[in-house]
Amino acid sequence: MKKLTSILLSMTLLLALAACGGNGGGGQNKEAPDLNKYYEDFMASLGADNQPAMGDVEAEQLSQLYPGLENYAAKQSVLKIAMISAVAFEFALVELENEADAKAVADIFQARIDYQIENGAFYPMTLEGWEQAKIITQGNVVALIVAQGEQDRAVEEFNSLFA
């Protein structure tokens, strides 16, 4: 009887473990999309005549624009800003090593939006663009998207990467 009970308990435990481990930890091991490809494809979709001049956020600008972001390990990041202050276009796309850091990075991006609305956006259209800025968190990926005139489409296309 003990042998039969022991076998039944072992089988139950084995089935329970198999059921729990079936999807790789709730999808946390799922590879994030190529953030640079998203950015490049989106910008290309604007057409050559409608693309704002964009530049990379250089190392010395990082702590100015996104104070504290340098403290978080990233697997990939795309940090692009408009080269002209009268244009509300900015993409900060970061895949973090640690999903637990996503909230802190989202807060850094929110501070960027708040600063631009309160102090940085000098033109009415630029201010409007920053007021429509979106922060999106998808697991360990955090995005700040400011795409004046194309905001909804930029957000929709970003979210579709995770569908």
Side-chain angles (χ1 to χ4, degrees):
M1 185 67 173
K2 282 185 181 181
K3 191 174 186 179
L4 180 60
T5 304
S6 186
I7 290 173
L8 285 174
L9 285 174
S10 296
M11 294 293 283
T12 304
L13 180 61
L14 183 63
L15 289 173
L17 288 174
C20 290
N23 68 356
Q28 291 179 355
N29 294 333
K30 184 178 177 184
E31 190 171 318
D34 182 338
L35 300 176
N36 193 60
K37 181 171 177 6
Y38 157 76
Y39 170 78
E40 294 291 336
D41 289 349
F42 178 77
M43 294 304 285
S45 76
L46 297 175
D49 295 335
N50 295 321
Q51 287 183 22
M54 301 291 284
D56 293 321
V57 172
E58 302 295 335
E60 59 273 3
Q61 294 174 307
L62 184 63
S63 62
Q64 241 180 345
L65 299 176
Y66 312 109
L69 185 59
E70 68 276 3
N71 298 327
Y72 298 96
K75 291 181 180 180
Q76 60 175 324
S77 66
V78 177
L79 304 172
K80 304 282 188 174
I81 58 173
M83 301 301 288
I84 300 171
S85 62
V87 177
F89 248 79
E90 189 163 323
F91 287 79
L93 315 170
V94 181
E95 178 190 7
L96 299 160
E97 292 282 344
N98 186 352
E99 187 174 335
D101 295 335
K103 171 74 170 96
V105 171
D107 290 345
I108 290 168
F109 290 166
Q110 184 61 55
R112 172 75 175 146
I113 293 170
D114 294 344
Y115 175 82
Q116 287 297 97
I117 289 172
E118 294 167 15
N119 305 308
F122 300 113
Y123 305 99
M125 285 185 64
T126 309
L127 180 59
E128 182 181 317
W130 278 98
E131 288 171 340
Q132 295 174 3
K134 298 284 185 231
I135 298 169
I136 304 160
T137 302
Q138 295 278 0
N140 66 332
V141 177
V142 184
L144 164 61
I145 299 176
V146 185
Q148 187 173 1
E150 296 289 338
Q151 186 69 36
D152 292 339
R153 187 170 67 85
V155 168
E156 183 180 312
E157 288 180 17
F158 183 81
N159 283 329
S160 74
L161 299 172
F162 297 90

